[in-house]
Amino acid sequence: MATVAIPARTTALLLDIEGTTTPITFVKDILFPYIREHLEDYLSAHWEEDECKQDVHLLKKQLEEDMRQNRACPIHAVDQTVHTDEEKAIREVVDDVLWQMAADRKSMALKRLQGHMWRAAYTSGTINGELYEDVTPSIRRWRGHGLKVFIYSSGSVEAQKLLFSHSVEGDVLDLFDGHFDTAVGAKVDAKSYERIAERIGCPAKEITFLTDVTREAKAAEDAGVNVVVVVRPGNTELTEEEAAHYHVITSFGQLEVTGRP
């Protein structure tokens, strides 16, 4: 198994989740279907609670902004089975959320509601976060060499923490020094990585980012961050040009720490 050296100047590792620490199938076949299957019941059960009201408010604000920007928006079909104003309002939220998910939107409003729904699933034991078997041993090894480890995912910080605190390996949240989501910016925007470097408190050149998405890799690279592309089963295949350009690994175990005790 070929190894890839972590640049000696690296002080922090920044990890993506989907397709990097966690199988894409966990997100696509477990997390997202859970939302689709339980969304209407969840909204009905929590509709009058402050947290749910805030989630709905943010979704409506997002929809208003989309309309102002002339972006595509969900079309609410007339449903003869809906009779009360509350039922109508819930159905419209359901339509909006399902439309955003189908369009692979990454809005903070959507991620916030999803995070709250997953919290209930994790805490009840309905769902346990999946991790590749090489992830936690490698992170412990990196930390043993004095490296800090952070997460950057399009999923909300709350959803990230739920995954790692209710994982198949138990609570491994203490392996991470911090979490970032799209509140810091889109993962395909170089400015996001500059902001993360500022918040971590180190130059961008001291960060090594692990991701399976080359558009994210390019954005990080443009910000001066070191990049390693992770190829896992089910991930999008790299082009020949991408495979030649980036350092590529199939397991965290291939990353070798250099220049540190």
Side-chain angles (χ1 to χ4, degrees):
M1 181 173 64
T3 60
V4 171
I6 298 173
R9 64 190 177 189
T10 297
T11 59
L13 288 157
L14 184 65
L15 312 180
D16 170 49
I17 292 180
E18 183 182 352
T20 301
T21 67
T22 298
I24 284 178
T25 51
F26 174 68
V27 178
K28 296 190 181 304
D29 298 342
I30 296 177
L31 289 184
F32 286 168
Y34 179 87
I35 299 295
R36 288 190 287 266
E37 291 166 16
H38 296 87
L39 178 58
E40 190 161 355
D41 288 343
Y42 176 87
L43 290 171
S44 297
H46 300 279
W47 191 252
E48 294 300 327
E49 297 173 13
D50 289 343
E51 183 177 79
C52 187
K53 286 180 178 179
Q54 180 66 12
D55 290 344
V56 171
H57 172 72
L58 292 174
L59 285 165
K60 288 181 178 177
K61 294 288 285 185
Q62 178 67 55
L63 183 58
E64 290 169 3
E65 177 63 20
D66 288 343
M67 293 175 71
R68 275 197 298 271
Q69 298 292 335
N70 292 316
R71 300 188 188 117
C73 297
I75 298 173
H76 300 298
V78 176
D79 189 337
Q80 301 300 333
T81 66
V82 174
H83 302 292
T84 69
D85 288 343
E86 181 176 306
E87 287 176 333
K88 180 175 181 291
I90 289 173
R91 188 59 56 85
E92 288 182 352
V93 173
V94 169
D95 288 347
D96 181 20
V97 169
L98 296 182
W99 180 86
Q100 287 199 53
M101 290 177 67
D104 197 26
R105 292 287 297 274
K106 308 290 187 184
S107 74
M108 287 301 298
L110 172 65
K111 296 300 179 183
R112 176 186 163 99
L113 174 62
Q114 289 175 328
H116 292 155
M117 288 187 65
W118 288 326
R119 180 179 61 201
Y122 280 116
T123 55
S124 68
T126 302
I127 291 176
N128 288 303
E130 294 183 14
L131 303 172
Y132 287 109
E133 62 182 14
D134 55 88
V135 170
T136 57
S138 297
I139 293 175
R140 289 190 173 97
R141 176 167 55 86
W142 301 334
R143 292 179 66 86
H145 286 283
L147 294 170
K148 292 186 175 181
V149 182
F150 297 85
I151 292 290
Y152 181 28
S153 172
S154 58
S156 68
V157 166
E158 180 176 12
Q160 297 172 28
K161 290 182 176 181
L162 285 167
L163 190 156
F164 292 111
S165 62
H166 297 82
S167 84
V168 291
E169 298 183 29
D171 186 349
V172 296
L173 202 53
D174 62 348
L175 294 180
F176 304 100
D177 294 280
H179 299 257
F180 299 96
D181 58 22
T182 49
V184 80
K187 296 181 74 181
V188 294
D189 183 353
K191 292 289 186 185
S192 303
Y193 300 89
E194 294 173 7
R195 295 186 192 104
I196 287 173
E198 290 173 6
R199 295 190 187 184
I200 289 176
C202 70
K205 66 183 181 182
E206 292 184 10
I207 300 173
T208 294
F209 177 47
L210 276 61
T211 181
D212 63 305
V213 180
T214 53
R215 288 181 65 212
E216 298 173 3
K218 183 182 185 307
E221 201 173 43
D222 289 346
V225 170
N226 309 296
V227 173
V228 175
V229 173
V230 184
V231 175
R232 302 282 200 181
N235 289 7
T236 302
E237 288 190 21
L238 303 182
T239 65
E240 287 186 15
E241 183 180 358
E242 290 168 342
H245 178 76
Y246 293 108
H247 292 299
V248 178
I249 59 173
T250 58
S251 165
F252 282 9
Q254 292 172 257
L255 274 184
E256 197 172 69
V257 180
T258 60
R260 302 182 74 90

